[in-house]
Amino acid sequence: MKNKILITGGVGYIGSHTVVELHNANFEVIIVDDLSNSSVSVLKQIEKITGVAPKFYELDVSKYDQLETIFKENQGIDAIIHFAAAKAVGESVDNPLKYYKNNLVSLLNLIECQKKFNVNNMVFSSSCTVYGQPNVLPVTEQTPRQDAESPYGNTKRVGEDMISDSVSAYSQLNAIALRYFNPIGAHESALIGELPIGVPQNLVPFISQTAAGIREKLLVFGDDYDTKDGSAIRDFINVVDLAKAHVVALKRLLDKKNKTSFEIFNLGTGNGYSVLELIKTFEEVTGVKVNYEIAPRRAGDIEKIWADTTFANEELGWKAEKSLQETLLSVWNWQKNITN
Ligand code: NAD
Ligand code: WQD
């Protein structure tokens, strides 16, 4: 029998790619998503790729009574992968309570349901944002977390703590938190990818929309950082590689291979690329010029970060495989598909 996995936020960017990889790995998937940051049309795209329409609940995970119906109607859920969260850093500064409610109440509700319905495994979407600007690079999982720069970042920090305290208190529970670095790229089919609503806040969708002529120009926030070319450095990880890591983490929990009841892994490539390098590589692989100009630093940005991936490589047996070139080409193929 297939293992039954509840995917919160499964219509979203990383969730949709993970649903595809879970299908490829022979899992049965139930998606819950309130479509607050995604389009229902993604479900059709997933069906085109996999040949299967995933079971879907449109509801808000932060509303306990609604959430509970899923567990009542679907006995024997084996694990949860919890993606559902609001993720706009700037918005979280202006509207912190939206973030604490959406991200933390949702997590609390899920853990309550785990206890009540004996769902003992969770994979949680955390973020490299918990490290702030580390003093030493690359960052390992032991690098101390820093005070969050934003309410959004704080929800990831507190979310990790809520899980850590819960697995300690309720001994049947096990969890893995995955700290993503900067996820980019799209599925090779160009049927799913990142679908930002409104003006993109993140670099790569802004690059591809500028290349497609939707945005007039890209602003490069800062060229006076202490880096090789003055622009900021990040660890850009392909979303399909990232999705595959979720399958590996899930199997680890289901096979009881985890060494402690709460494990944390960095998910990155281990390579740092600068903003200007990314633009140049995008131009090289697509042959399309990106109109950009240098602008002042963006408030709250860190200078540089990239992951030490040793623990994920050795302990999970997972490694990011796709090159930056291949990944940026997938972004462009996806952009062309949604623009035309
Ligand atoms: P996304 O916005 O594309 O996906 C999140 C999905 O959750 C959306 O479909 C949204 O409609 C849904 N959702 C939000 N609140 C909900 C609620 N209360 N009930 C039901 N559904 C709800 O975001 P993503 O980029 O796929 O991110 C997935 C997870 O990974 C998030 O937890 C995010 O914080 C985390 N993360 C993302 C990044 C990144 O750069 N994309 C980096 C680190 C961590
Ligand atoms: C990358 C670099 C920008 C847009 C964010 C969240 C983080 C995590 C990942 C969830 C920075 C520069 C950007 C633009 C630019 N998410 N940039 N012009 O800020 O590293 O991380 O997403 O957990 O918490 O903060 O990603 O893509 O926004 O920016 O120059 O129009 O690109 O200044 O140096 P970031 P990003």
Side-chain angles (χ1 to χ4, degrees), residues 195-213:
L195 258 185
I197 292 174
V199 181
Q201 305 301 307
N202 296 112
L203 177 63
V204 169
F206 211 108
I207 290 179
S208 62
Q209 290 196 8
T210 307

Side-chain angles (χ1 to χ4, degrees), residues 13-14 33-34 36-38 60-61 83 87 102 152 156:
Y13 174 44
I14 304 168
D33 199 303
D34 66 358
S36 55
N37 197 38
S38 51
D60 180 346
V61 178
F83 293 106
K87 63 163 184 178
N102 201 41
Y152 165 75
K156 291 299 170 191

Side-chain angles (χ1 to χ4, degrees), residues 100 104 107 145 153-163:
Y100 289 116
L104 296 183
L107 177 59
R145 298 181 308 174
N154 208 27
T155 67
K156 291 299 170 191
R157 187 186 163 107
V158 176
E160 287 186 354
D161 292 344
M162 282 169 62
I163 296 172

Side-chain angles (χ1 to χ4, degrees), residues 276-293:
L276 290 172
E277 280 176 333
L278 202 81
I279 296 169
K280 190 162 168 277
T281 309
F282 182 92
E283 290 180 334
E284 278 167 9
V285 296
T286 63
V288 182
K289 276 269 164 230
V290 179
N291 184 24
Y292 73 87
E293 84 186 24

Side-chain angles (χ1 to χ4, degrees), residues 87-89 125-130 150 152-153 156 180-184 200-207 217-222 225 231-236 274-275 278-279 293 295-298 300-303 305:
K87 63 163 184 178
V89 175
S125 297
S126 191
S127 168
C128 70
T129 190
V130 300
S150 68
Y152 165 75
K156 291 299 170 191
Y180 316 152
F181 281 66
N182 287 54
I184 63 167
Q201 305 301 307
N202 296 112
L203 177 63
V204 169
F206 211 108
I207 290 179
K217 65 171 174 258
L218 166 76
L219 298 179
V220 171
F221 299 131
Y225 286 113
S231 64
I233 292 180
R234 297 289 184 273
D235 185 337
F236 298 96
S274 75
V275 171
L278 202 81
I279 296 169
E293 84 186 24
R297 294 180 180 191
R298 185 172 69 176
D301 271 352
I302 58 162
E303 181 169 270
I305 191 165

